[in-house]
Amino acid sequence: MDDITLYLDELETIFREGELVEGVCGKALSLKFGEVAPSGINLIDNMVTGTVEFWFRPNDDFFDVSARTLLGNDDSRLHFFVNNGTLYFQKNHTNKHFFVSAPVNLKNDWNLIAGQWGDGEMSLWLNGEKVASSVHSLGYEASSRSKQYANLLVIGYKSKCCMEGPGLSQALTTSGAYDQLRISNTMRYSTARQ
């Protein structure tokens, strides 16, 4: 935690599914195909600039299907997924779909994945390297729906809702381990620091 971290989930507990494994820092949450875990993060704050970052280690069967979710929610305000070897970071506003994507090779070990927005750009980072960016001037807007946990970040499952922007129309599952999910109200990554 630091003064620019709005939300942090160290993923060291099990809600109903998954198992605890050795993580990047302490324990991590590992999910098998079909298992789902709500994070402890319900995004209720609007952010002009921001960074979403987490550690992910794919299970052996992660690449057995063409598309997998990593992190997101059904209202699809923020979503990370892999489709045919391409990593996506999607950020939606009402009836608007914004995403950046890049072909990547996820290591069979821990991968640090980050998406951020601000300073006129939306970008995707893998292990400290910028892999994609696009011009983007909108911040994060929390869902205005009246559901109490509309913006709860979920690990392991994403419904087919709101996926037409990146060209998908099916529900997605995951298979892998997660650690240190953090949301910050600033851009933590820059090419100047590399």
Side-chain angles (χ1 to χ4, degrees), residues 77 91-98 136 138-141:
R77 297 296 182 174
K91 188 167 76 65
N92 283 12
H93 295 262
T94 304
N95 298 321
K96 297 177 185 175
H97 303 269
F98 302 103
H136 183 75
L138 298 174
Y140 172 80
E141 293 179 9

Side-chain angles (χ1 to χ4, degrees), residues 34-56:
E35 293 182 326
V36 179
S39 75
I41 296 175
N42 187 32
L43 286 162
I44 58 172
D45 298 302
N46 293 335
M47 291 177 276
V48 175
T49 61
T51 302
V52 179
E53 58 189 331
F54 60 98
W55 289 92
F56 175 73

Side-chain angles (χ1 to χ4, degrees), residues 44-162:
I44 58 172
D45 298 302
N46 293 335
M47 291 177 276
V48 175
T49 61
T51 302
V52 179
E53 58 189 331
F54 60 98
W55 289 92
F56 175 73
R57 183 181 66 206
N59 286 345
D60 291 339
D61 65 348
F62 181 83
F63 298 103
D64 288 354
V65 297
S66 61
R68 293 277 197 190
T69 191
L70 296 174
L71 176 71
N73 68 0
D74 270 357
D75 283 337
S76 197
R77 297 296 182 174
L78 293 172
H79 186 215
F80 292 85
F81 64 97
V82 174
N83 185 19
N84 291 316
T86 299
L87 177 63
Y88 289 79
F89 168 51
Q90 179 183 11
K91 188 167 76 65
N92 283 12
H93 295 262
T94 304
N95 298 321
K96 297 177 185 175
H97 303 269
F98 302 103
F99 63 91
V100 288
S101 63
V104 298
N105 289 316
L106 292 176
K107 299 183 295 185
N108 287 331
D109 199 354
W110 289 104
N111 299 272
L112 179 58
I113 298 171
Q116 64 182 20
W117 61 93
D119 295 337
E121 179 181 86
M122 180 176 171
S123 58
L124 176 64
W125 298 73
L126 179 62
N127 298 318
E129 300 284 330
K130 185 193 290 189
V131 294
S133 66
S134 67
V135 174
H136 183 75
S137 60
L138 298 174
Y140 172 80
E141 293 179 9
S143 172
S144 58
R145 297 178 180 162
S146 59
K147 295 188 292 185
Q148 185 176 7
Y149 294 102
N151 284 335
L152 183 70
L153 288 180
V154 176
I155 301 167
Y157 176 78
K158 172 68 181 74
S159 76
K160 64 182 181 179
C161 171
C162 310

